[in-house]
Amino acid sequence: MPELPEVEVVCRQLAYQIVGNRITSIHVYLEKSLQYRETTEQDVIGAVITAVERRGKYILIHTDRNQTLLVHLRMTGALIDTDQDAAKNYTHVRVRFELSSGRVLLYKDVRTFGGIWVYRTDQLFGCPMLSKLGVEPLTEAFTGAYLYKKTRGRRVPIKQFILNQEMISGIGNIYADESLFLSGIRPTRPAGQLGKISATRLVAAIKRVLSDSIQHGGTSFRDYRDGNGERGKHSTYLKVYGRGNEKCTVCGRMLNKVKIGGRTTVFCPRCQRR
DNA sequence: TTCTTAACCTGGAGGC
DNA sequence: TGCCTCCAGGTTAAGA
């Protein structure tokens, strides 16, 4: 399940691999996976890819024709740069871009929650998907003071709060659990009860967990693959996510597994008491 | 304004 | 072995 680190890894790889390529043709196998917003397929064919960047969990692929392919991988999506022969081995391919280098860019998505939207670049940041996104957690704008201020008056559990993309963009279930464990904060705690010290501690933990995961190439559980179709290696470093009913690696106590906001949440009742 | 819940979707695991 | 049910989860929309 791609979150900020996984999307960042994919972006860095694709920026290296596909920038400078011309899109020579597009094959759509599932119509809803590629949608045009005031653009057409003919606008995209022949365009040269000029840059690849990330905003929250979105991948932005810019072209020289004032168009941007906005990609969200949701649960099971993957963007893979590969050669013609290897492309035949991939299943659940929803969109296939032929590139001028002779290689292909595949968008595969098992559960089809994700998709690609083609926008005019000059209208991109007014689109509903990007305009509502909150602060980027790896920037200097994301501070303890920011988090403390934003959580005032909020009664939802802090776990649910940091998953809200309008507050902080890019955090998903894996890194929410891991950040709360690292900061020693109980995920069920009402966001508005977070003190200044705890807010600062949580911000530091979020930055640390996300940065470490990027260094490890992201986390792969089931479907996530990077831009080369490879698995991420961060899953072996996880302390709580996916470890429900196992012992805490720090104190040895059994981890608790509960539902918060409809999401499976794992935490240590002894280490996370703040 | 804030919060909750359902819906979208399919593969895999587990039970029978 | 085959069938059925449940679970996983990011985002949005509707309703409270």
Side-chain angles (χ1 to χ4, degrees), chain A residues 191-202:
Chain A
Q193 288 183 10
L194 211 66
K196 287 181 180 176
I197 294 174
S198 291
T200 302
R201 198 186 294 268
L202 180 54

Side-chain angles (χ1 to χ4, degrees), chain A residues 252-272:
Chain A
R253 187 161 176 179
M254 289 297 288
L255 298 173
N256 283 6
K257 184 177 177 181
V258 297
K259 287 270 187 187
I260 296 177
R263 306 293 179 77
T264 302
T265 301
V266 181
F267 70 96
C268 175
R270 180 176 290 167
C271 297
Q272 294 175 259

Side-chain angles (χ1 to χ4, degrees), chain A residues 12-57:
Chain A
R12 290 180 186 182
Q13 290 174 334
L14 292 181
Y16 178 71
Q17 293 166 333
I18 67 172
V19 167
N21 272 268
R22 191 177 298 278
I23 298 170
T24 56
S25 65
I26 304 170
H27 305 278
V28 180
Y29 304 105
L30 183 66
E31 202 163 323
K32 73 168 188 174
S33 295
L34 179 63
Q35 297 178 34
Y36 295 90
R37 297 282 191 267
E38 296 187 29
T39 58
T40 67
E41 181 178 308
Q42 290 312 309
D43 295 329
V44 179
I45 292 174
V48 175
I49 297 168
T50 55
V52 181
E53 62 174 331
R54 179 191 60 77
R55 176 74 177 96
K57 298 176 190 174

Side-chain angles (χ1 to χ4, degrees), chain A residues 69-180:
Chain A
L69 283 68
L70 183 61
V71 185
H72 199 305
L73 305 175
R74 295 281 177 104
M75 298 298 300
T76 56
L79 268 180
I80 298 165
D81 168 66
T82 186
D83 59 45
Q84 299 277 351
D85 284 341
K88 296 171 188 168
N89 299 326
Y90 287 98
T91 58
H92 303 99
V93 173
R94 309 303 183 188
V95 186
R96 173 184 171 122
F97 298 91
E98 305 281 343
L99 303 177
S100 55
S101 61
R103 293 176 68 83
V104 293
L105 180 64
L106 303 178
Y107 173 70
K108 65 168 283 182
D109 191 357
V110 175
R111 294 182 210 174
T112 72
F113 277 18
I116 303 172
W117 298 266
V118 185
Y119 278 89
R120 282 181 47 175
T121 306
D122 57 9
Q123 296 178 345
L124 185 64
F125 288 95
C127 80
M129 286 178 262
L130 295 185
S131 61
K132 292 180 183 174
L133 288 180
V135 67
E136 282 284 337
L138 292 179
T139 64
E140 291 182 0
F142 184 50
T143 62
Y146 171 89
L147 184 61
Y148 179 77
K149 184 180 175 185
K150 287 287 185 182
T151 50
R152 294 312 88 193
R154 304 300 291 263
R155 291 166 294 169
V156 292
I158 186 62
K159 157 80 181 274
Q160 199 173 334
F161 183 87
I162 63 176
L163 284 173
N164 185 343
Q165 302 300 299
E166 293 181 23
M167 298 299 160
I168 311 165
S169 60
I171 298 175
N173 208 29
I174 297 173
Y175 300 109
D177 276 8
E178 293 298 311
S179 301
L180 288 162

Side-chain angles (χ1 to χ4, degrees), chain A residues 196-257:
Chain A
K196 287 181 180 176
I197 294 174
S198 291
T200 302
R201 198 186 294 268
L202 180 54
V203 166
I206 289 170
K207 289 176 186 278
R208 168 80 183 277
V209 164
L210 295 177
S211 299
D212 284 353
S213 182
I214 291 171
Q215 281 204 326
H216 297 140
T219 303
S220 287
F221 265 94
R222 299 173 186 86
D223 303 286
Y224 165 69
R225 297 292 185 273
D226 66 18
N228 296 319
E230 303 290 329
R231 297 172 66 85
K233 297 178 179 61
H234 191 67
S235 47
T236 55
Y237 297 87
L238 299 179
K239 302 293 186 189
V240 286
Y241 180 84
R243 295 184 183 275
N245 302 321
E246 292 182 24
K247 288 183 177 176
C248 174
T249 55
V250 174
C251 74
R253 187 161 176 179
M254 289 297 288
L255 298 173
N256 283 6
K257 184 177 177 181

